């Protein structure tokens, strides 16, 4: 699964790179943006995107000058557009959230987002989205400030970025398919979250997710999944993470949830080459439904230890089935050794 997902994303972004090599560049300043850090430039950004989206006769880039600071409210970049659009050279600060809806072949590179009151970047109903080289920062106690949220979108890559928020660094749910997250430094925050229970009991699922070469520092969770399948966490480093590995079919993001036993199955989740420290005794938690157990859980070369000197870590395993390879610490008794 992971290899297939990576290959499809690689091909997609090779094609996107070839298309954008012939792009025409537009400067957001030419659409009225001031970039002085005090003037609200939201409408100028919307005007620039809208004009390029509907009037450009070839692939284009929207340039946001790096030497300026743009004050923005919530922005929705909505497609479909005539041609691919690339956001580049754009470390803009003091921004609220950036939302991509119904977009195809979008590249975002070099953004710097600070203190959004909600999700910093949201990707919805989009395909072939590349997000790289971004920096996201908000206080560790700020709720609902996910770094990147991906929903109802396919073929998305998030790479080479530093994300610290009060919520998930990267979250995926409800139709997130074929997503790659690589070389991301996460913390503070809740880690990388895959799948969750939606509002009013609606079920959100995510599949074909590949997380690799990421570092979690002082986060609540490391790699976690609620309702998901075909997920891989490969070459992950944990530094003082509260729950480094967690699968919870009873996860409740709201104040009140109906804990029904008929959960959506979590299946085919792999943890390979995962190492680091845990601030809690439970370094590994597999909390699965009695009615629909977790299946196909695979662990190999997992080494987790306590961040507190002299303490030991342990695992908790309920209704989970799968296999364990070499060097699994702490031991996970519900997984069969192979």
């Amino acid at each position: 699964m992971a290899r297939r997902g990576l290959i499809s994303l690689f091909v997609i972004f090779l094609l996107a790179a070839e298309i954008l090599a012939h792009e025409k560049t537009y400067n957001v300043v030419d659409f009225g943006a001031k970039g002085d850090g005090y003037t609200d430039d939201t409408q100028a950004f919307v005007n620039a995107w809208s004009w390029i989206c509907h009037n450009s006769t070839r692939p284009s880039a929207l340039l946001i000058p790096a030497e300026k600071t743009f004050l923005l409210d919530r922005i929705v970049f909505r497609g479909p557009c005539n041609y691919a659009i690339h956001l580049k050279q754009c470390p803009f600060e003091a921004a609220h959230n950036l939302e991509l809806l119904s977009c195809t072949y979008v590249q975002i590179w070099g953004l710097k987002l600070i203190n959004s009151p909600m999700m910093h970047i949201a990707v919805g109903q989009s395909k072939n989205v590349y997000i790289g080289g971004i920096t996201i920062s908000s206080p560790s106690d700020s709720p609902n400030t996910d770094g990147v949220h991906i929903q109802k979108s396919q073929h998305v890559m998030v790479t080479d970025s530093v994300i610290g928020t009060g919520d998930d660094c990267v979250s995926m749910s409800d139709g997130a398919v074929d997503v790659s997250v690589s070389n991301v430094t996460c913390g503070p925050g809740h880690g990388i979250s895959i799948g969750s229970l939606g509002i009013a009991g609606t079920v959100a699922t995510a599949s074909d997710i590949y997380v690799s070469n990421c570092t979690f520092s002082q986060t609540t969770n490391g790699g976690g999944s609620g309702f998901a399948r075909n997920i891989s966490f490969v070459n992950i480093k944990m530094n003082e993470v509260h729950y480094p590995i967690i699968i919870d079919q009873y996860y409740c993001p709201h104040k009140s949830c109906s804990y029904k036993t008929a959960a959506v199955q979590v299946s085919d989740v792999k943890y390979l080459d995962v190492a680091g420290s845990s601030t809690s005794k439970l370094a590994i938690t597999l909390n699965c439904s009695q009615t629909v157990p977790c299946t196909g859980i695979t662990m190999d070369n997992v080494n987790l230890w306590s961040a507190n000197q002299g303490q030991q870590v342990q695992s908790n395993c309920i209704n989970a089935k799968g296999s364990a390879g070499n060097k699994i610490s702490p031991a996970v008794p519900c997984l069969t050794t192979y």
Side-chain angles (χ1 to χ4, degrees), residues 205-220:
T205 61
S207 66
D208 303 310
I209 312 297
Y210 191 84
V211 180
S212 63
N213 303 311
C214 293
T215 299
F216 300 89
S217 295
Q218 298 180 339
T219 58
T220 305

Side-chain angles (χ1 to χ4, degrees), residues 107-119:
Q107 292 193 3
I108 298 176
W109 181 265
L111 271 73
K112 184 176 182 180
L113 301 174
I114 298 177
N115 296 335
S116 171
M118 50 193 302
M119 297 176 183

Side-chain angles (χ1 to χ4, degrees), residues 73-127:
D73 204 333
R74 180 190 178 201
I75 295 181
V76 179
F77 288 157
R78 189 181 301 274
C81 297
N82 292 343
Y83 291 91
I85 300 177
H86 177 201
L87 301 181
K88 68 177 185 180
Q89 297 292 329
C90 42
F92 55 86
E93 302 181 10
H96 288 199
N97 71 314
L98 170 64
E99 189 169 356
L100 301 175
L101 287 179
S102 303
C103 296
T104 302
Y105 289 113
V106 174
Q107 292 193 3
I108 298 176
W109 181 265
L111 271 73
K112 184 176 182 180
L113 301 174
I114 298 177
N115 296 335
S116 171
M118 50 193 302
M119 297 176 183
H120 289 75
I121 298 177
V123 180
Q125 300 175 2
S126 297
K127 295 182 180 180

Side-chain angles (χ1 to χ4, degrees), residues 173-207:
S173 68
D174 190 14
V177 178
D178 195 16
V179 178
S180 172
V181 180
S182 64
N183 299 310
V184 170
T185 298
C186 171
H190 293 177
I192 293 180
S193 173
I194 303 173
S196 64
L197 182 66
I199 298 174
T202 59
V203 172
T205 61
S207 66

Side-chain angles (χ1 to χ4, degrees), residues 256-267:
S256 62
C257 294
S258 177
Y259 287 94
K260 299 178 181 178
T261 58
V264 174
Q265 187 175 24
V266 174
S267 61

Side-chain angles (χ1 to χ4, degrees), residues 7-8 12-13 51 56 58 72 75 97 99 118 123 139 141 144 256 264 268 277 291 308 317-318 323:
I7 290 172
S8 65
I12 284 165
F13 291 114
W51 193 95
S56 180
R58 59 172 167 164
L72 305 174
I75 295 181
N97 71 314
E99 189 169 356
M118 50 193 302
V123 180
D141 59 352
N144 303 317
S256 62
V264 174
D268 300 322
S277 58
T291 305
N308 304 310
C317 191
I318 302 174
S323 57

Side-chain angles (χ1 to χ4, degrees), residues 169-304:
C169 293
V170 181
S171 59
M172 292 157 272
S173 68
D174 190 14
V177 178
D178 195 16
V179 178
S180 172
V181 180
S182 64
N183 299 310
V184 170
T185 298
C186 171
H190 293 177
I192 293 180
S193 173
I194 303 173
S196 64
L197 182 66
I199 298 174
T202 59
V203 172
T205 61
S207 66
D208 303 310
I209 312 297
Y210 191 84
V211 180
S212 63
N213 303 311
C214 293
T215 299
F216 300 89
S217 295
Q218 298 180 339
T219 58
T220 305
N221 302 322
S225 59
F227 304 119
R229 61 181 180 272
N230 296 335
I231 313 297
S232 294
F233 293 90
V234 180
N235 193 22
I236 305 298
K237 296 180 181 179
M238 308 281 187
N239 177 31
E240 297 183 358
V241 175
H242 197 61
Y243 296 114
I245 293 178
I246 179 169
I247 295 177
D248 189 1
Q249 283 186 294
Y250 296 100
Y251 167 70
C252 177
H254 314 295
K255 293 182 178 180
S256 62
C257 294
S258 177
Y259 287 94
K260 299 178 181 178
T261 58
V264 174
Q265 187 175 24
V266 174
S267 61
D268 300 322
V269 181
K270 299 178 178 64
Y271 296 92
L272 311 176
D273 299 316
V274 179
S277 58
S278 172
T279 59
S280 70
K281 290 185 177 180
L282 282 178
I284 299 175
T285 300
L286 306 179
N287 185 20
C288 302
S289 165
Q290 182 177 1
T291 305
V292 188
C294 299
T295 60
I297 309 301
T298 301
M299 295 188 185
D300 190 29
N301 195 23
V302 173
N303 184 21
L304 300 171

